[in-house]
Amino acid sequence: MKKILLFIVIIVFSITLSSCTLLDSYHFDYEAPELSTYKLSDMSFDSYTRSSITDYSDIEDTLNEEIVTANIYIQSVSFDDDNFITRNFEAQIYAGSGVIFYSTDDYYYALTNMHVVNKHRDYEKNVLSVTDHLNNIYDAFIYEGSMNEELDLAIIVFPKIDEELTVLDLVDAEPNQHTVVVVISNPLSERDVITNGEILGYTKTIITNRYDEEHHYDFDAIMHSAAIDSGSSGSMLISYDFDIIGINYASNHDEEEPLHYAIPANLIVDYILDVIE
């Protein structure tokens, strides 16, 4: 298959602010709970069935009113401890998307890209925050052992509050070419943007990461036409039945022939089962 040179689609903020200002937005002393308090087990996933729905107008209202609440906005802040001594706060903030795929009585679990939540290598520490569709902000943390560089995947966990969010089903899918798809994401700092398109095929990819380094991915990625942009990393690729069939991770940023890429759900299912075993 043809290899495509792509760029990860992530919004990057480089900031220098007073630590007091930043502490109003982020809890830099937040620590993840013990794995035993949020560990998953005995999960199963249904096989994918191609949707019988072909008209986007038939699902548009449901997407806007219900399914959009499964989309989350993620901010990952990398910083150094000595910022608190000097009171001059320098940090790298990476913003991306995620999709809620599971919940328990106490927590929501969301899929995203590893490159969205991974600590910047020039800093000592990292914290995560999640914002939902009503602008509620949650402290979040990475599910222990879920960072996977070869698939660019991570699972993040955040506590439930009174607001009920939508949980979408992840199915064991390797959808065929011409399957109609939908993306809900947070591109260019906009929130809950919905686009639709179709699967164009599968291909291997080469990604240029945040450090301008190339990374070759060995898996065959879904190539599709539902538009994504910077900030869409980690977002849902769903069927017209609202099942998760992929996670977006890259785009070619070609204005004349834009192409977008997602990790297929069958690989994500295997990944999750390995993480929780």
Side-chain angles (χ1 to χ4, degrees):
M1 301 289 289
K2 182 181 178 182
K3 290 187 176 181
I4 311 293
L5 181 62
L6 309 170
F7 296 93
I8 55 175
V9 282
I10 185 170
I11 295 177
V12 183
F13 303 97
S14 196
I15 54 175
T16 304
L17 295 172
S18 73
S19 59
C20 292
T21 301
L22 278 176
L23 286 170
D24 290 340
S25 302
Y26 304 106
H27 296 149
F28 290 95
D29 57 351
Y30 180 77
E31 295 184 5
E34 294 293 327
L35 176 61
S36 59
T37 66
Y38 64 87
K39 183 173 174 56
L40 299 175
S41 62
D42 300 324
M43 294 186 69
S44 62
F45 301 90
D46 292 335
S47 298
Y48 167 70
T49 302
R50 189 177 181 122
S51 177
S52 61
I53 303 170
T54 57
D55 190 339
Y56 178 76
S57 63
D58 290 342
I59 64 169
E60 191 169 6
D61 288 344
T62 305
L63 286 169
N64 282 286
E65 295 170 9
E66 299 176 27
I67 307 305
V68 72
T69 71
N71 173 53
I72 57 172
Y73 176 67
I74 302 169
Q75 288 188 302
S76 174
V77 186
S78 297
F79 64 99
D80 291 329
D81 270 346
D82 59 5
N83 297 141
F84 295 102
I85 299 173
T86 64
R87 311 302 287 177
N88 291 318
F89 201 99
E90 296 183 2
Q92 285 279 340
I93 301 179
Y94 294 86
S97 304
V99 56
I100 302 169
F101 75 97
Y102 197 77
S103 69
T104 62
D105 290 342
D106 299 316
Y107 293 105
Y108 287 111
Y109 299 76
L111 288 160
T112 189
N113 293 143
M114 176 176 165
H115 76 254
V116 171
V117 298
N118 198 18
K119 180 181 72 69
H120 191 286
R121 66 188 182 190
D122 293 339
Y123 294 84
E124 296 175 357
K125 293 188 175 183
N126 194 75
V127 293
L128 303 177
S129 73
V130 162
T131 306
D132 68 18
H133 70 297
L134 291 178
N135 290 321
N136 296 308
I137 299 175
Y138 309 73
D139 292 314
F141 57 92
I142 298 167
Y143 191 108
E144 187 174 317
S146 72
M147 299 278 272
N148 186 308
E149 185 175 8
E150 294 311 307
L151 288 175
D152 195 9
L153 286 173
I155 298 169
I156 63 169
V157 187
F158 59 99
K160 285 186 170 181
I161 59 173
D162 292 338
E163 181 65 28
E164 184 173 352
L165 304 178
T166 298
V167 179
L168 297 185
D169 290 329
L170 172 68
V171 292
D172 194 349
E174 190 175 9
N176 295 328
Q177 188 176 5
H178 304 307
T179 297
V180 288
V181 294
V182 174
V183 169
I184 307 178
S185 68
N186 309 297
L188 302 174
S189 298
E190 294 186 59
R191 298 289 305 284
D192 300 329
V193 174
I194 302 173
T195 59
N196 65 301
E198 68 173 3
I199 292 176
L200 305 173
Y202 285 78
T203 186
K204 288 183 169 52
T205 57
I206 305 171
I207 302 299
T208 301
N209 67 17
R210 68 177 73 172
Y211 311 111
D212 291 325
E213 299 167 341
E214 287 188 3
H215 183 83
H216 295 241
Y217 289 99
D218 291 332
F219 67 89
D220 288 326
I222 297 171
M223 182 169 58
H224 65 86
S225 61
I228 61 176
D229 210 322
S230 296
S232 296
S233 284
S235 63
M236 67 182 83
L237 184 72
I238 58 175
S239 69
Y240 277 16
D241 288 330
F242 312 129
D243 293 325
I244 302 169
I245 58 175
I247 295 294
N248 294 299
Y249 72 102
S251 176
N252 66 357
H253 286 232
D254 186 330
E255 293 183 0
E256 295 184 1
E257 190 179 356
L259 297 171
H260 316 288
Y261 300 85
I263 305 145
N266 63 317
L267 300 183
I268 301 171
V269 165
D270 291 342
Y271 151 81
I272 291 174
L273 294 177
D274 285 342
V275 169
I276 68 175
E277 68 176 3

